[in-house]
């Protein structure tokens, strides 16, 4: 045994370089796939965006200048990021209390709640999107109730509105908020809540001073996932939002597959990538600041 | 109970000099159909440390949670200073509690942890700072006030937990297995520290523990719990020397249980013939009757060895000699092959392994006698 260990140590010392390479070989399949199917297309995208004409013959930044010089496109960028922030806000407002209910519930109820929360992930995107059309439509469930109760003189306009879209996305994206939140919150030591109460704190103080600061990592994880997912939710955006609400994914689709202006589509795609990444960076920066502020 | 010394100490700390009595009256707590706490009544004197001692699942932690207000008992009353606190929620009971894992708020510094209870009581930021400093001084941790809990040692974390609990000037201090996460060496230091602070602040304290040595060294009185009931509530020495039940007898300290039969009964004492071959005259309870099968509890330190035989001595053979610092434990074989343990001061003249000797009770020994369940 001793000899074997000594031999192993010698081997490691002598061929450290090769060993390092051997370990990295395990990551090679993923690395190759990532390079071939993600990095390379991204590079192509960047190259295509640097052509002036739709036939991709003249190098130049005309499309970037056109895109960034047009207030219409700025509004599309703004609307897309706003949609993401609204969805994040709504999922936090609905999801955080739900997480508190979940943590306080008995195990049997916890299983039922978790199933309801995860349900959107288990249904086909087409089914859940059309289900929302049934709910939000002129003759839909909500309007049926509103008209029956006489709450409004005419059916409410919910489909093809930002409100309706945020409502649907809130349900669709809820698992992405709740799963990281629950995994962090269920690890909070229950004695901390007891200690807080014994020290004389009301439930609100315990919530804001103990539970909330300690759930910030989960909350941030949820916010990032929901933001990234809702700003790029092409099907929900186009089916529930319709043609009147233009977001970057729809714009990219129009430019690439309807107008065949690939350089402009590339510019829009890169803009989406950069602006969403920038927002995510900002959210996590703010999250860390909040966490530190609440701590201090 | 308040000595001049303690009064001076607590006045020096600027705190109240008196504790509060805690009375439990017929506490019952059921989890589902199970009685975790079964009709427990205890009176804890002001300024006293009472230990709830028992194996896991005996209901001691549930009882502590009832007193703290984390769970509502199924029946019975909790009185502090003669007033019922049953209708008060946990945050208005004014109890200080130190948890087994300390439960320090991990995102707050040492000073913020200590300030937490003060802030919850509406004490302003400016007024809090000197109080926090004072209580950190009391546990000698002022230098670490800006550290996070994960940046200090286990013993230091416990002192922070203590300072945090003391800072709100609680009417009762509850300690839930506070020493079990500490190294053995540190444990004794912290036991002394807690006792010192409890005296200094004149606090009534309740300690939950499964460690009998800890209960013996820290508590003024021990409630030995078994299956949700209190089997005995008495001073440490009384619980050790005069165990009320066989459970208390076997849970506190080590003991040899020697089966035998009562062959004579006179006044307060009985003549017992041990199966291992000796006849003893021992004082017994009134419930021990003539002819009864009994077991005699012999603590290792109550036994001694003799070279010569006598009617009240058991013939034994020395099986093993284990030196343990100042004492030595001898494992002896009786005639029937069963083993008994004897402990004695370690001297140079310990008997040799294999020596045939005679084992009897010391003159000052008071063996307990319990009826043997015949089934």
């Amino acid at each position: 045994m001793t000899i074997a260990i000594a031999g192993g140590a010698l081997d490691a010392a002598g061929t450290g370089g090769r060993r390092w390479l051997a370990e990295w070989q395990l990551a090679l399949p993923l690395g190759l796939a990532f390079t071939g199917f993600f990095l390379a297309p991204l590079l192509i995208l960047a190259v295509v965006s640097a052509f002036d004409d739709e036939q991709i013959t003249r190098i130049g930044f005309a499309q970037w200048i056109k895109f960034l010089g047009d207030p219409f496109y700025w509004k599309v960028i703004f609307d897309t990021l706003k949609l993401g922030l609204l969805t994040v806000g709504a999922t936090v407002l609905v999801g955080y209390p739900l997480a508190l209910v979940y943590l306080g519930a008995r195990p049997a109820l916890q299983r039922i709640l978790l199933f309801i929360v995860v349900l959107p992930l288990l249904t086909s995107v087409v089914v859940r999107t059309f289900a929302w059309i049934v709910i939000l439509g002129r003759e839909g469930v909500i309007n049926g109730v509103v008209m029956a109760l006489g709450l409004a003189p005419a059916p409410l306009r919910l489909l093809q509105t930002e409100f309706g879209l945020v409502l649907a996305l809130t349900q669709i994206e809820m698992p992405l908020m709740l799963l990281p939140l629950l995994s962090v919150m269920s690890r909070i030591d229950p004695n901390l809540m007891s200690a807080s109460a014994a020290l004389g704190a009301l439930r609100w103080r315990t919530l804001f001073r103990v539970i909330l600061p300690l759930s910030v990592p989960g909350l941030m994880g949820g916010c990032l996932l929901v933001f990234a997912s809702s700003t790029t939710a092409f099907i929900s955006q186009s089916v529930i939002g319709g043609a009147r609400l233009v977001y970057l994914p729809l714009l990219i689709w129009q430019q690439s597959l309807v107008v065949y202006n690939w350089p402009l589509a590339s510019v829009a795609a890169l803009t989406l990538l950069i602006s969403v990444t920038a927002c995510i960076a900002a959210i996590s920066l703010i999250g860390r600041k909040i966490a530190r502020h609440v701590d201090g | 109970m308040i000595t001049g010394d303690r009064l001076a100490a607590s006045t020096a700390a600027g705190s109240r000099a008196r504790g509060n009595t805690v009375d439990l009256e017929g506490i019952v707590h059921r989890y589902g159909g199970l009685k975790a706490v079964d009709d427990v009544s205890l009176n804890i004197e002001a300024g006293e440390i009472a230990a709830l001692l028992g194996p896991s699942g005996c209901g001691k932690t549930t009882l502590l949670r009832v007193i703290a207000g984390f769970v509502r008992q199924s029946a019975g009353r909790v009185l502090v200073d003669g007033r019922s606190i049953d209708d008060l929620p946990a945050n208005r009971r004014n109890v200080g509690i130190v948890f087994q894992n300390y439960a320090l708020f991990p995102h707050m510094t040492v000073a913020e942890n200590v300030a937490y209870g003060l802030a919850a009581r509406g004490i302003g930021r400016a007024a809090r700072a000197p109080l926090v400093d004072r209580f950190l001084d009391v546990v000698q941790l002022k230098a670490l006030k800006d550290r996070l809990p994960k940046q200090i040692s286990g013993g230091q974390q416990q002192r922070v937990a203590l300072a945090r609990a003391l800072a709100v000037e609680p009417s009762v201090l509850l300690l839930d297995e506070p020493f079990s996460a500490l190294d053995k060496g540190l444990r004794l230091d912290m036991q002394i520290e807690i006792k010192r602070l409890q005296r200094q602040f004149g606090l009534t304290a309740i300690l939950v523990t499964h460690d009998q040595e800890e209960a013996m060294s820290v508590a003024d009185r021990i409630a030995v719990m078994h299956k949700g009931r209190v089997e005995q509530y008495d001073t440490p020495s009384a619980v050790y020397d005069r165990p009320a039940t066989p459970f208390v007898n076997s849970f506190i300290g080590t003991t040899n249980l020697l089966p035998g039969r009562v062959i004579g009964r006179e006044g307060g004492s009985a003549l017992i013939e041990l199966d291992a071959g000796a006849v003893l005259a021992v004082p017994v309870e009134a419930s021990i009757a003539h002819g009864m099968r009994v077991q005699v509890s012999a603590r290792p330190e109550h036994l001694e060895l003799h070279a010569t035989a006598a009617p009240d001595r058991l013939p034994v053979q020395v099986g093993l000699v284990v030196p343990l610092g100042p004492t030595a434990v001898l494992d002896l074989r009786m005639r029937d092959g069963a083993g008994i343990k004897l402990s004695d001061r370690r001297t140079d003249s310990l008997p040799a392994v294999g020596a045939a000797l005679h084992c009897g009770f010391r003159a000052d020994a008071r063996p307990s006698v319990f009826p043997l369940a015949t089934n």
Side-chain angles (χ1 to χ4, degrees), chain B residues 323-344:
Chain B
L324 295 170
T327 60
V329 171
L330 278 68
D331 183 47
L332 309 171
R333 296 280 134 198
M334 292 187 295
R335 219 170 37 181
D336 58 356
I340 54 172
K341 285 192 191 67
L342 177 152
S343 77
D344 202 353

Side-chain angles (χ1 to χ4, degrees), chain A residues 189 196-199 201 205 209, chain B residues 91 95 101 107 112 116 119 121:
Chain A
D189 176 8
S196 175
L199 287 165
R205 178 177 289 272
R209 297 285 165 167
Chain B
N91 58 23
V95 297
N101 63 356
H107 56 298
E112 284 160 3
Y116 188 89
R121 276 164 173 69

Side-chain angles (χ1 to χ4, degrees), chain A residues 20-98:
Chain A
W20 181 84
L21 202 67
E23 278 165 11
W24 273 94
Q25 281 169 2
L26 289 171
L28 217 55
L30 183 66
L32 286 177
F34 191 76
T35 311
F37 298 108
F38 185 76
L39 278 183
L42 203 61
L43 203 67
I44 295 170
L45 202 68
V47 171
V48 170
S49 78
F51 281 90
D52 279 355
D53 59 331
E54 292 166 23
Q55 286 74 37
I56 314 180
T57 51
R58 286 193 317 278
I59 292 173
F61 292 101
Q63 300 290 353
W64 280 103
I65 293 160
K66 177 184 166 192
F67 188 83
L68 297 177
D70 190 334
F72 170 77
Y73 294 124
W74 277 105
K75 187 175 181 313
V76 173
I77 298 171
F78 176 78
D79 284 348
T80 307
L81 299 181
K82 186 176 152 210
L83 177 71
L85 290 177
L86 287 175
T87 311
V88 165
T91 46
V92 169
L93 285 181
V94 178
Y96 199 82
L98 195 58

Side-chain angles (χ1 to χ4, degrees), chain B residues 151-176:
Chain B
Q151 295 167 327
I152 60 180
S153 73
Q156 290 166 341
Q157 286 181 25
Q158 184 177 54
R159 297 223 291 272
V160 176
L162 253 175
R164 183 177 71 174
L166 292 174
V168 298
E169 310 216 349
S171 50
V172 188
L173 183 64
L174 305 179
L175 306 160
D176 184 10

Side-chain angles (χ1 to χ4, degrees), chain B residues 81-290:
Chain B
D81 227 5
R83 280 186 299 275
S84 163
I85 59 166
D86 297 315
D87 294 327
L88 295 177
N91 58 23
R92 292 185 52 210
R93 290 199 176 188
N94 200 34
V95 297
I97 180 160
V98 176
F99 290 92
Q100 183 172 8
N101 63 356
Y102 318 133
L104 295 179
F105 303 120
H107 56 298
M108 297 184 196
T109 64
V110 165
E112 284 160 3
N113 265 284
V114 177
Y116 188 89
L118 300 170
R121 276 164 173 69
I123 297 173
R125 195 174 287 270
R128 253 180 273 160
L131 284 171
V132 169
D133 278 354
R134 204 186 88 201
F135 282 96
L136 283 176
D137 244 359
V138 165
V139 294
Q140 295 141 33
L141 278 180
K142 215 166 161 184
L144 302 178
K145 62 188 282 188
D146 295 322
R147 299 268 190 97
L148 288 173
K150 63 173 177 234
Q151 295 167 327
I152 60 180
S153 73
Q156 290 166 341
Q157 286 181 25
Q158 184 177 54
R159 297 223 291 272
V160 176
L162 253 175
R164 183 177 71 174
L166 292 174
V168 298
E169 310 216 349
S171 50
V172 188
L173 183 64
L174 305 179
L175 306 160
D176 184 10
E177 304 260 9
F179 310 109
S180 59
L182 296 174
D183 293 338
K184 200 166 181 180
L186 200 54
R187 209 174 290 176
L188 188 63
D189 290 346
M190 284 312 301
Q191 288 171 2
I192 293 167
E193 176 93 354
I194 281 192
K195 216 163 156 121
R196 175 179 76 81
L197 292 171
Q198 178 261 344
R199 291 269 151 81
Q200 180 178 335
F201 289 94
L203 278 170
T204 308
I206 300 173
L207 166 75
V208 159
T209 180
H210 65 272
D211 182 338
Q212 44 114 354
E213 279 180 36
E214 188 174 300
M216 302 277 285
S217 62
V218 175
D220 299 305
R221 281 203 281 175
I222 298 176
V224 184
M225 292 187 69
H226 182 47
K227 292 183 178 166
R229 292 179 156 273
V230 171
E231 300 240 333
Q232 188 172 8
Y233 181 47
D234 218 327
T235 61
S237 48
V239 167
Y240 187 85
D241 293 335
R242 294 185 296 282
T245 66
F247 174 79
V248 174
N249 181 65
S250 57
F251 193 76
I252 309 272
T254 45
T255 194
N256 302 292
L257 291 173
L258 306 169
R261 180 183 297 280
V262 180
I263 55 167
R265 190 80 170 80
E266 193 181 323
S269 70
L271 212 55
I272 298 170
E273 183 178 30
L274 297 178
D275 296 356
V279 176
L280 303 170
V282 284
V284 292
E285 302 268 321
S287 61
I288 303 293
H290 185 89

